[in-house]
Amino acid sequence: MTISPQAFTFVRELVRAESAIVLDTGKEYLVESRLVPLARAAGHPDVDAYVADLSKRRTPAAMKQVVEALTTNETSWFRDADPFTALRQNVFPALAKTRSNRTLRIWAGACSSGQEPYSIIMTALDTPELAGWKIELVATDLSEEMLTRSRKGEYSQLEVNRGLPATTLVRHFERAGLNWRINQSIRERVEFRSLNLTRPFPPMGRFDIVFLRNVLIYFDLPTKRDVLKRVRQVMAPDGHLFLGAAEMTMGVDDAWERVPAGRSSVYRIREEQRTCVL
């Protein structure tokens, strides 16, 4: 059974209000497939009945479940490869020359199930210029389910096969039954927090590097502009922003400039916009 137009409209408006994610017409099948498990768990015969009940009760917990179910959590280890090569060969060495306190602060936004922040930490450990440095990494996500998974750091064989070199698996993971768990020495380097990118950021301090990859594509233009503006406010003046390959700041927030980094590229705050000093 296909989700009714009324149910789809309710879900689309709920998701947009809570997360700024835009579900255009044509996403009905996606919405229905994501909500079928919730409908069954709640004892409803179909998604329409589940949404009708939700629209009457509007309990925060149930509505949050819907939003989290419609959040895309696609990820893999060292996703797209080039950004992590740029991090190791270009960005980390450049920052190492300017940080006399031998500390780097990194924020991984929309961290999903944890592969990205853990990949960043492993990349830092493989960067000679950062030997002995303190790396503070804050990873955030809207989904409490994803944060719980990330903190546990346990992955199936299928998940570790997605982008994780065998040598890295042997070096940084241990067996956990049929799964693999990333070593505690890696897990304890990442602090996972709940954060909605579309809302005002809580106090987080200033970051040298921000990973916000493959997130902005789900937002409308005003939301993209607002998020990028607030990211600038938590960035070090000479910090580096990583976006997804299909994302850019041009025409959204021109306070950023794109600069090459190996085979990849990063975004920096334009010189004239750097109102803070190191």
Side-chain angles (χ1 to χ4, degrees), residues 54-193:
L54 177 66
S55 66
K56 294 177 183 177
R57 295 184 296 113
R58 294 180 179 267
T59 60
M63 291 193 292
K64 185 174 183 179
Q65 276 190 315
V66 170
V67 174
E68 291 192 2
L70 271 300
T71 301
T72 301
N73 292 304
E74 171 65 22
T75 189
S76 60
W77 301 96
F78 305 98
R79 187 177 180 181
D80 303 325
D82 285 344
F84 293 93
T85 300
L87 195 62
R88 185 180 69 254
Q89 297 182 353
N90 303 93
V91 176
F92 278 155
L95 288 172
K97 296 177 181 179
T98 63
R99 299 301 191 265
S100 59
N101 62 355
R102 295 171 63 83
T103 298
L104 287 180
R105 298 195 74 241
I106 306 169
W107 174 24
C111 67
S112 188
S113 47
Q115 285 92 325
E116 181 175 84
Y118 288 138
S119 295
I120 294 171
I121 289 295
M122 289 186 284
T123 300
L125 292 175
D126 287 338
T127 303
E129 290 86 348
L130 297 185
W133 279 54
K134 181 179 181 181
I135 309 297
E136 299 178 1
L137 199 155
V138 176
T140 65
D141 200 89
L142 176 68
S143 169
E144 291 292 345
E145 178 184 357
M146 288 296 104
L147 291 170
T148 298
R149 282 208 60 204
S150 297
R151 293 186 184 104
K152 188 175 182 181
E154 187 171 311
Y155 303 94
S156 68
Q157 185 67 54
L158 178 62
E159 288 173 316
V160 298
N161 285 345
R162 297 193 64 196
L164 192 67
T167 53
T168 304
L169 178 65
V170 171
R171 180 182 173 191
H172 294 301
F173 288 74
E174 59 187 9
R175 272 291 187 181
L178 296 177
N179 297 329
W180 293 89
R181 182 183 299 117
I182 197 162
N183 293 339
Q184 183 177 348
S185 60
I186 302 290
R187 295 200 311 275
E188 65 188 10
R189 293 171 184 263
V190 184
E191 179 186 356
F192 291 97
R193 303 180 190 175

Side-chain angles (χ1 to χ4, degrees), residues 188-231:
E188 65 188 10
R189 293 171 184 263
V190 184
E191 179 186 356
F192 291 97
R193 303 180 190 175
S194 176
L195 185 143
N196 187 333
L197 288 167
T198 68
R199 306 286 168 80
F201 300 158
M204 294 193 296
R206 195 171 294 278
F207 296 99
D208 303 295
I209 299 169
V210 173
F211 267 61
L212 198 63
R213 302 180 63 227
N214 307 303
V215 182
L216 296 180
I217 54 175
Y218 298 105
F219 299 153
D220 59 22
L221 181 58
T223 304
K224 292 177 183 179
R225 185 172 291 127
D226 181 57
V227 170
L228 286 172
K229 178 182 177 180
R230 286 183 286 113
V231 168

Side-chain angles (χ1 to χ4, degrees), residues 230-250:
R230 286 183 286 113
V231 168
R232 280 193 280 119
Q233 295 169 353
V234 298
M235 288 277 290
D238 62 343
H240 297 69
L241 170 65
F242 284 81
L243 297 179
E247 298 167 322
M248 63 180 63
T249 62
M250 183 182 300

